[in-house]
C-alpha cells in the first residue's frame, strides 16, 4: 500500500508559537509512519514557512535554520507543497494536512481558508467554526442562544477604550463588582488575560489586553472548579464527549505560565463534582460544539460552582497536545491512546 503524505504544520505567528512547537512534537511522534509519509513545515514568528528535516529539529528549534522554504500552494489543481532550495523549486503532492497551530493565524480560520482554497483535506474545524470559536465575543453571542449559563460580560472595543478610558471603566464598574477578568477576544493559552481587583488593575488589564486584540471582554468572576471536556467527531460521525478533567492551577488563575511552565499546576481526571454536574458538562460541551459547527476536535472549558451550577467559559478548536495537555489525557482515560486519537482525527479529515 502506498503511503499517503501528511503535512504537519506548526509554529506560527501568534503568541502561542512555542506551545505549538511543543504540541507538534507530540503529534508527530504519534503518527503511524507505516501509513503516512511525513512532511514537516514550521512557520516562524515572522511568518516564514520552512521545511523541518526531523522530529528532533522540531523539538530543538533547529528547523528555524532550514534553508528549504515550504509553502502550501493555494492552487486547487495541484494539491501540493512548493519546496524551494537554492533558487530551485519543485512541487510535492500532499494528501492531508494536520495544522498544529494555536491562536491567531492558525486556529482562527486563516490557515483553514488556505486549505479550503487548495482543496486539501485537513484535521480539525472548518473556517467558520475556527473563526467564531477563536473570537470569545462571538462565541458568547452564539452560546447566548443555547440557554447555557456563561459568565456575564462587557465587550470593549479598543478604539473606544483608547478614546476615553474613564467612560469604559465606569461602564464596567456599573455592571460588576471587583474582581473581574479582562481578556483579549482573540487569544489563546490565556495570553493577555489578567484579573483586576480595583480600578488601577482594571486599567492595566485593559491596556495589556489591547496589545493582543482590538476587542476585549471584561467578565464577572466565577468561583468554582475549573473543568474541561474533550469533544471528538462531526459530519457523518456522531459527536462524542470525554469525561471531565479539573485544572488545579499553581497561580491565582490558570494563566500562560501556570499552564505550561509551573510544575505545581496539576490536572485531575474524573474529579469529584457536585451532583450530576459532570454529565451536564458533557452534554453542554456537545451542544456548544455543534452550535459553532465544530468538526474533528475541540476542548470545551467550564466552571462548576460548589452548588453544582455549570458555567461555560470557552471553546478551543485546536487544543494543546503537549505532554501535560488535557485533551489527549481525557481520551487516554477513556481508553483511546494518543496514537489512536491522532489516527481518528486524520481519518475524520479524509471523511470530510
Amino acid at each position: 500500500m502506498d503511503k499517503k503524505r501528511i503535512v504537519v504544520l506548526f509554529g506560527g505567528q501568534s503568541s502561542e508559537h512555542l506551545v505549538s512547537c511543543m504540541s507538534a512534537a507530540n503529534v508527530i511522534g504519534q503518527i503511524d509512519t507505516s501509513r503516512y509519509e511525513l512532511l514537516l513545515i514550521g512557520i516562524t514568528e515572522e511568518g516564514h514557512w520552512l521545511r523541518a528535516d526531523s522530529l528532533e529539529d522540531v523539538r530543538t528549534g533547529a528547523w528555524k535554520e532550514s534553508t528549504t522554504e515550504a509553502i502550501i500552494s493555494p492552487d486547487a489543481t495541484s494539491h501540493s507543497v512548493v519546496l524551494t532550495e537554492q533558487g530551485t523549486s519543485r512541487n510535492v503532492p500532499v494528501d492531508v494536512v494536520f495544522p498544529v497551530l494555536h491562536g491567531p493565524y492558525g486556529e482562527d480560520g486563516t490557515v483553514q481558508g488556505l486549505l479550503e482554497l487548495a482543496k486539501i483535506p485537513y484535521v480539525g474545524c472548518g473556517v467558520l467554526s475556527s473563526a467564531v470559536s477563536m473570537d470569545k465575543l462571538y462565541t458568547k453571542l452564539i452560546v447566548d442562544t443555547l440557554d447555557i449559563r456563561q459568565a456575564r460580560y462587557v465587550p470593549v472595543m479598543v478604539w473606544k477604550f483608547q478614546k476615553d478610558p474613564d467612560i469604559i471603566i465606569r461602564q464596567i464598574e456599573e455592571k460588576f463588582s471587583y474582581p473581574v477578568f479582562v481578556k483579549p477576544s482573540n487569544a489563546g493559552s490565556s495570553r493577555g488575560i489578567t484579573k483586576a481587583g480595583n480600578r488601577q488593575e482594571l486599567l492595566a488589564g485593559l491596556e495589556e489586553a489591547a496589545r493582543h486584540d482590538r476587542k476585549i471582554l471584561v467578565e464577572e468572576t466565577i468561583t468554582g472548579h475549573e473543568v474541561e471536556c474533550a469533544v471528538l467527531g462531526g459530519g457523518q460521525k456522531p459527536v462524542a464527549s470525554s469525561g471531565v478533567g479539573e485544572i488545579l492551577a499553581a497561580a491565582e488563575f490558570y494563566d500562560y505560565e501556570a499552564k505550561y511552565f509551573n510544575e505545581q499546576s496539576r490536572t485531575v481526571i474524573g474529579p469529584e463534582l457536585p451532583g450530576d454536574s459532570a454529565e451536564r458538562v458533557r452534554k453542554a460541551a456537545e451542544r456548544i460544539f455543534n452550535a459553532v459547527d465544530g468538526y474533528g476536535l475541540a476542548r470545551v472549558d467550564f466552571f462548576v460552582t460548589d452548588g453544582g451550577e455549570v458555567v461555560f467559559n470557552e471553546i478551543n478548536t485546536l487544543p494543546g497536545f503537549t505532554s501535560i495537555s488535557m485533551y489527549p489525557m481525557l481520551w487516554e482515560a477513556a481508553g483511546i491512546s494518543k496514537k489512536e486519537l491522532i489516527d481518528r482525527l486524520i481519518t475524520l479529515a479524509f471523511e470530510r
Side-chain angles (χ1 to χ4, degrees):
M1 181 180 71
D2 290 338
K3 292 184 182 180
K4 293 187 181 295
R5 184 175 287 117
I6 182 169
V7 170
V8 179
L9 194 58
F10 64 93
Q13 298 177 71
S14 82
S15 57
E16 297 179 80
H17 176 94
L18 178 59
V19 179
S20 171
C21 295
M22 293 162 62
S23 290
N26 284 290
V27 168
I28 293 162
Q30 299 298 328
I31 292 176
D32 185 354
T33 53
S34 69
R35 298 177 59 194
Y36 299 103
E37 177 186 338
L38 295 172
L39 176 53
L40 312 179
I41 300 177
I43 305 173
T44 70
E45 290 166 287
E46 297 75 33
H48 195 191
W49 292 44
L50 298 169
R51 177 174 184 169
D53 291 326
S54 67
L55 172 56
E56 185 62 23
D57 283 357
V58 177
R59 286 179 172 147
T60 63
W63 64 272
K64 294 181 181 180
E65 306 302 319
S66 172
T67 58
T68 303
E69 292 185 343
I71 299 171
I72 295 174
S73 171
D75 188 330
T77 66
S78 69
H79 310 113
S80 67
V81 167
V82 182
L83 297 179
T84 304
E85 188 168 17
Q86 296 180 342
T88 301
S89 297
R90 61 189 176 96
N91 280 37
V92 177
V94 298
D95 298 292
V96 62
V97 174
F98 198 134
V100 191
L101 295 164
H102 307 313
Y105 312 111
E107 192 180 349
D108 59 354
T110 49
V111 163
Q112 290 75 15
L114 168 63
L115 297 170
E116 291 283 353
L117 279 173
K119 287 186 165 40
I120 299 174
Y122 59 93
V123 169
C125 290
V127 176
L128 173 68
S129 53
S130 297
V132 298
S133 299
M134 187 74 222
D135 192 307
K136 294 179 178 66
L137 174 57
Y138 283 93
T139 305
K140 282 186 171 291
L141 294 174
I142 291 172
V143 175
D144 275 340
T145 70
L146 300 179
D147 195 29
I148 292 174
R149 167 85 160 98
Q150 57 185 333
R152 293 180 301 137
Y153 62 96
V154 173
V156 176
M157 299 302 293
V158 168
W159 69 268
K160 288 185 178 180
F161 165 66
Q162 292 172 337
K163 183 178 180 181
D164 197 330
D166 288 338
I167 288 179
I168 298 297
I169 288 173
R170 281 200 302 272
Q171 289 174 347
I172 294 166
E173 289 178 332
E174 286 170 2
K175 185 159 186 176
F176 301 131
S177 57
Y178 292 105
V180 295
F181 278 94
V182 185
K183 303 177 177 181
S185 191
N186 281 278
S189 290
S190 301
R191 300 310 297 261
I193 296 179
T194 56
K195 185 177 182 181
N198 54 51
R199 177 174 287 199
Q200 185 177 354
E201 290 177 357
L202 175 58
L203 178 60
L206 289 165
E207 290 172 343
E208 171 61 23
R211 283 191 272 272
H212 293 264
D213 193 31
R214 63 188 184 87
K215 295 194 298 295
I216 301 170
L217 284 179
V218 180
E219 294 180 348
E220 67 171 325
T221 296
I222 303 293
T223 302
H225 303 267
E226 189 168 353
V227 301
E228 300 179 346
C229 183
V231 183
L232 177 67
Q236 300 292 325
K237 300 286 185 182
V239 171
S241 55
S242 70
V244 174
E246 182 175 5
I247 301 297
L248 300 175
E252 187 177 6
F253 66 96
Y254 203 39
D255 62 7
Y256 180 74
E257 293 298 322
K259 233 172 223 187
Y260 298 108
F261 302 108
N262 191 325
E263 293 181 357
Q264 293 181 342
S265 290
R266 294 189 298 115
T267 55
V268 177
I269 305 299
E272 289 189 19
L273 297 173
D276 65 345
S277 55
E279 181 61 21
R280 286 184 284 120
V281 163
R282 291 182 64 250
K283 289 179 179 177
E286 292 178 11
R287 289 184 64 205
I288 293 166
F289 183 77
N290 287 324
V292 299
D293 195 27
Y295 186 89
L297 75 163
R299 194 194 73 235
V300 193
D301 303 347
F302 298 86
F303 296 102
V304 176
T305 69
D306 289 340
E309 186 178 29
V310 171
V311 184
F312 168 67
N313 184 21
E314 64 181 38
I315 180 171
N316 296 271
T317 56
L318 238 161
F321 272 85
T322 71
S323 60
I324 60 170
S325 291
M326 185 73 87
Y327 188 85
M329 288 170 60
L330 285 167
W331 286 120
E332 277 194 305
I336 301 175
S337 68
K338 289 186 178 75
K339 188 175 287 291
E340 183 183 352
L341 178 60
I342 296 299
D343 191 63
R344 287 195 189 189
L345 290 170
I346 296 169
T347 300
L348 280 165
F350 282 117
E351 288 178 355
R352 176 171 48 194

